[in-house]
């Protein structure tokens, strides 16, 4: 049996780049840290947190932790998820002058209608998050899905004793990407065909929920999956002062039903992707 290690820049397990979440389970409200750690513990997965991978060499990963210490971990097989960034496009206007910084942030993501004013974590608001995904300088340019620049992370930014930033970036998953894409397409349609001068549809990650079904073992009767929903994705402490999210719409559960849901979604989304009869009735 293989020994599995999970090495992450999260401050706590179950942060997921969303600052963690509180879940209502069996009459208790618990943090996603407990949910995730119990999932790992039950499956014998070792977890190493607050860690930044500094180098990978054959059979060995080097990492720094928030306390500034250097560590290494040996492996036979490893999967490294690199820092998330845009494709690094350069943009020029019709006179040939470079306009890259009017369109993209330094990580290569497109600037849209978010509030990009740098401010401390304590001053972050749900309203900082973009709603229409229209570039402020070029109204005919939109960035849907994972292409848009988030205004800031969701998890609290942390720096190691040596000054290395060690924290996760916001999750950029399929469900919000699809909902953003749908809103952008509807806005462009209204601007092209119905004479609208402004985008008519919105899809803020601070106003939408998302579901995640993570497989934890396949098998019609023996499979399991962790099913989670959050509402909203970006916590809004003005609307939900206690937990930042609607606790009735934010839950997590592990079990066989999750595996079946994952399988059903798989079949439905491939059906939708092929544009078969009735595809538009299948939600994002
Ligand atoms: C390994 C992995 C697992 C994932 N698992 C899940 C999951 O279980 N659930 C979930 O919800 N999300 C998951 N995601 C995230 C999900 O895949 C993305 O959020 C989603 O695909 C983003 O959609 P998008 O349309 O914005 O971008 P993309 O799907 O990346 O689409 C961008 C498209 O643009 C094309 N393109 C790029 N450059 C150019 C160019 N110059 N000209 C023309 N075309 C170009 C690319 O080829 C691509 O087809 C996963 C992602 C990865 C990488």
């Amino acid at each position: 049996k293989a020994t599995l290690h999970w090495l992450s820049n999260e401050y706590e397990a179950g942060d997921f780049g969303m600052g963690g979440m509180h879940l209502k389970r069996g009459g208790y409200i618990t943090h996603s840290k407990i949910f995730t750690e119990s999932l790992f513990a039950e499956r014998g997965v070792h977890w190493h947190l607050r860690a930044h991978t500094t180098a990978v060499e054959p059979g060995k990963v080097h990492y720094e932790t928030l306390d500034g210490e250097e560590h290494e971990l040996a492996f036979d097989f490893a999967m490294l998820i690199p820092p998330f960034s845009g494709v690094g496009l350069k943009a020029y206007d019709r006179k040939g002058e470079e306009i890259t910084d009017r369109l993209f942030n330094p990580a290569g993501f497109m600037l849209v209608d978010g509030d990009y004013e740098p401010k401390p974590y304590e001053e972050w608001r749900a309203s900082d998050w973009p709603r229409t995904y229209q570039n402020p300088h070029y109204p005919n340019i939109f960035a849907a899905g994972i292409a848009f620049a988030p205004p800031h992370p969701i998890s609290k930014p942390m720096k190691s004793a040596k000054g290395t930033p060690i924290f996760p970036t916001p999750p950029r998953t399929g469900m919000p990407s699809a909902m953003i894409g749908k809103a952008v397409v509807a806005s462009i349609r209204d601007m092209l065909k119905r004479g609208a001068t402004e985008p008519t549809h919105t899809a803020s990650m601070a106003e939408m929920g998302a579901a995640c079904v993570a497989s934890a073992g396949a098998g019609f009767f023996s499979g399991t999956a962790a099913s989670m929903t959050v509402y909203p994705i970006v916590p809004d402490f003005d609307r939900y002062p206690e937990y930042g999210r609607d606790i009735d719409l934010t839950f997590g559960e592990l079990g066989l039903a999750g595996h079946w849901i994952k399988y059903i979604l798989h079949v439905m989304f491939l059906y939708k992707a092929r544009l078969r009869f009735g595809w538009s009735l299948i939600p994002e």
Side-chain angles (χ1 to χ4, degrees):
K1 195 176 167 189
T3 309
L4 282 173
H5 291 267
W6 165 252
L7 187 77
S8 168
N9 54 10
E10 295 162 293
Y11 191 81
E12 299 287 5
D15 181 283
F16 304 136
M18 306 191 297
M21 57 189 191
H22 287 88
L23 311 159
K24 206 165 156 186
R25 277 285 281 135
Y28 292 94
I29 291 175
T30 184
H31 194 266
S32 47
K33 166 185 157 79
I34 308 288
F35 180 78
T36 310
E37 285 185 354
S38 85
L39 193 71
F40 284 165
E42 282 163 16
R43 284 158 181 76
V45 177
H46 304 262
W47 61 93
H48 312 262
L49 300 169
R50 307 171 192 179
H52 167 74
T53 299
T54 48
V56 184
E57 59 178 277
K60 203 187 281 177
V61 59
H62 298 262
Y63 64 96
E64 179 189 336
T65 41
L66 264 187
D67 53 17
E69 283 189 21
E70 309 270 345
H71 306 262
E72 47 184 61
L73 193 62
F75 63 82
D76 295 316
F77 297 95
M79 183 167 82
L80 178 74
I81 303 179
F84 190 49
S85 65
V87 288
L89 295 176
K90 294 241 175 281
Y92 300 89
D93 67 10
R94 64 180 65 173
K95 287 185 228 130
E97 279 167 32
E98 192 172 344
I99 52 165
T100 307
D101 59 356
R102 286 165 76 81
L103 278 173
F104 302 107
N105 75 359
F109 294 112
M110 183 172 282
L111 299 165
V112 290
D113 61 319
D115 181 352
Y116 296 106
E117 195 61 42
K119 45 190 166 184
Y121 174 76
E122 292 69 25
E123 289 172 27
W124 291 354
R125 291 286 171 274
S127 53
D128 299 341
W129 286 75
R131 305 182 79 235
T132 67
Y133 302 90
Q134 186 185 42
N135 179 265
H137 301 294
Y138 302 95
N140 57 339
I141 297 183
F142 291 78
I146 53 172
F148 84 88
H152 44 65
I154 304 174
S155 304
K156 191 173 181 178
M158 298 282 177
K159 254 188 193 166
S160 79
K162 291 181 181 157
T164 311
I166 305 182
F167 58 92
T169 52
R172 314 290 300 267
T173 54
M175 190 172 166
S177 297
M179 286 194 273
I180 294 168
K182 195 172 178 178
V184 167
V185 164
S187 287
I188 293 174
R189 177 206 56 207
D190 290 348
M191 291 167 84
L192 284 176
K193 290 198 163 172
R194 299 182 182 164
T197 50
E198 304 274 319
T200 49
H201 288 70
T202 62
S204 166
M205 278 176 56
E207 291 165 14
M208 67 166 85
C212 169
V213 189
S215 181
F220 196 74
F221 292 113
S222 59
T224 48
S227 313
M228 287 172 274
T229 65
V230 279
Y231 183 86
I233 302 169
V234 177
D236 184 343
F237 286 96
D238 293 327
R239 273 171 79 196
Y240 307 104
E242 217 172 346
Y243 301 107
R245 296 196 177 93
D246 185 332
I247 215 73
D248 290 324
L249 298 176
T250 302
F251 68 84
E253 206 167 308
L254 185 74
L256 176 61
H259 171 70
W260 289 345
I261 290 171
K262 180 116 193 153
Y263 186 75
I264 291 167
L265 289 176
H266 170 87
V267 173
M268 277 170 50
F269 290 158
L270 287 176
Y271 183 91
K272 184 176 166 127
R274 291 187 190 114
L275 306 182
R276 295 259 168 91
F277 178 72
W279 69 269
S280 60
L281 300 173
I282 299 174
E284 283 69 46

